[in-house]
Amino acid sequence: MPFSIATWNINSVRLRMPIVERLLVEQAPDVLCLQETKVPDELFPEKAFRKLGYEHIAFHGQKGYHGVATVARRPIAIVEKRRFCEIDDCRHLSVTVRAGGKAILLHNFYVPAGGDEPDPIINRKFKHKLDFVAEMNAIRAEHDEVSGSILVGDLNIAPLEHDVWSHKQLLKVVSHTPVETESFEAMRLAGDWVDLMRLNVPYEQKLYTWWSYRAQDWEASDRGRRLDHVWSSPNLVPSFAGYEILRPARGWERPSDHVPVIARFDLD
């Protein structure tokens, strides 16, 4: 049974609803996970999603900042809106969705960006990021014969050397510093998560999902980073049918600085 999940940091869902609609019309994923929705729950644009056939909607949002939402063409059930670091900043949402014969626990995350200075002593935003990732160790890839787990989102860390345009030049830049990448990979392994985007991609191949707004010509300079991720429990790996980084979306009208990643599965 084909099953697809798209993940996208949309950088304000109301502002960019036209390109969200374009994605849903052109790609029609079964589930769309959005991050940085920047809208309180009572103002979430549910009608626009329902009009396109996405009748099942869950959100965890706040005014002006952060926020995550999961919309689907099939029933979903909210499991948890977890609070991290004793801060109410709407960065996590988990739901269950059935695909094939399995119940999938789907986590949608927006990890803190961490500010500009990679020093937790002088930069509280960076400390928050490190603490948040440490707490993510509690998120495990739960699975058995009839269930599995998927974790997606803007995790704001490019963990591997070729997940950034220049490993050497970004070693002291937030999102690729050793303290971030090492804790991130340790957390992934502790939770028994599989990095699906690197599963069948050579280590030396560059993978990006984000290009800065600051670049005058993002496409020509191509100074990207892989900040958006798709992970699964080990038992879903045989069902993984590949993914697409929708790079052209970075050039759509009024784009996000992130592009959608669409993962596909063939579930029995």
Side-chain angles (χ1 to χ4, degrees):
M1 179 180 181
F3 176 65
S4 58
I5 298 175
T7 179
W8 195 4
N9 178 318
I10 195 57
N11 192 13
S12 178
V13 65
R14 291 184 294 175
L15 177 65
R16 304 190 205 284
M17 198 63 213
I19 61 173
V20 174
E21 291 172 345
R22 178 174 175 178
L23 173 76
L24 296 180
V25 169
E26 292 182 0
Q27 301 294 329
D30 292 296
V31 181
L32 170 62
C33 294
L34 296 170
Q35 303 87 39
E36 207 171 354
T37 54
K38 296 184 176 179
V39 60
D41 291 350
E42 63 272 17
L43 297 179
F44 189 85
E46 292 185 64
K47 289 183 180 179
F49 286 100
R50 295 186 192 281
K51 186 177 180 180
L52 292 169
Y54 289 78
E55 296 279 351
H56 308 280
I57 300 170
F59 37 67
H60 186 200
Q62 64 185 96
K63 182 179 180 181
Y65 297 94
H66 318 135
V68 290
T70 299
V71 302
R73 298 191 296 173
R74 60 182 70 192
I76 57 176
I78 296 174
V79 174
E80 185 179 19
K81 300 177 180 180
R82 187 174 291 215
R83 185 171 180 249
F84 284 78
C85 304
E86 299 300 317
I87 299 174
D88 293 317
D89 57 358
C90 304
R91 294 182 177 275
H92 170 262
L93 172 66
S94 61
V95 303
T96 54
V97 58
R98 293 205 66 86
K102 286 188 168 57
I104 305 298
L105 176 60
L106 173 59
H107 293 278
N108 182 359
F109 268 100
Y110 177 43
V111 170
D116 295 326
E117 181 60 49
D119 185 338
I121 296 175
I122 63 175
N123 178 7
R124 62 179 180 80
K125 291 182 178 180
F126 193 67
K127 182 180 185 304
H128 179 208
K129 182 177 191 175
L130 297 181
D131 291 345
F132 192 102
V133 171
E135 286 192 20
M136 283 180 68
N137 276 271
I139 307 294
R140 301 304 175 101
E142 301 173 14
H143 64 282
D144 57 28
E145 291 182 358
V146 295
S147 68
S149 296
I150 296 173
L151 187 156
V152 303
D154 175 7
L155 305 187
N156 260 316
I157 294 173
L160 304 177
E161 178 178 348
H162 296 286
D163 288 341
V164 295
W165 64 273
S166 173
H167 172 64
K168 184 177 180 180
Q169 293 183 67
L170 269 66
L171 279 173
K172 295 183 179 180
V173 174
V174 172
S175 79
H176 192 61
T177 65
V179 66
E180 292 172 273
T181 60
E182 290 168 11
S183 63
F184 183 83
E185 282 294 277
M187 173 269 292
R188 182 183 66 81
L189 293 171
D192 201 23
W193 293 103
V194 178
D195 179 357
L196 295 179
M197 293 176 68
R198 278 293 180 186
L199 193 61
N200 297 310
V201 175
Y203 175 77
E204 297 78 14
Q205 180 175 326
K206 295 287 189 181
L207 285 183
Y208 309 145
T209 64
W210 173 92
W211 292 263
S212 175
Y213 284 133
R214 297 175 184 176
Q216 289 187 342
D217 188 336
W218 71 272
E219 193 164 22
S221 62
D222 200 25
R223 294 188 172 190
R225 306 178 204 177
R226 181 172 72 117
L227 302 180
D228 305 271
H229 298 265
V230 180
W231 297 351
S232 82
S233 52
N235 69 326
L236 294 183
V237 170
S239 302
F240 180 54
Y243 70 95
E244 178 183 3
I245 298 174
L246 203 65
R247 181 183 172 115
R250 183 61 179 81
W252 290 356
E253 187 174 356
R254 302 184 77 181
S256 171
D257 46 359
H258 296 252
V259 299
V261 179
I262 305 172
R264 307 184 191 280
F265 298 83
D266 290 322
L267 290 161
D268 298 329

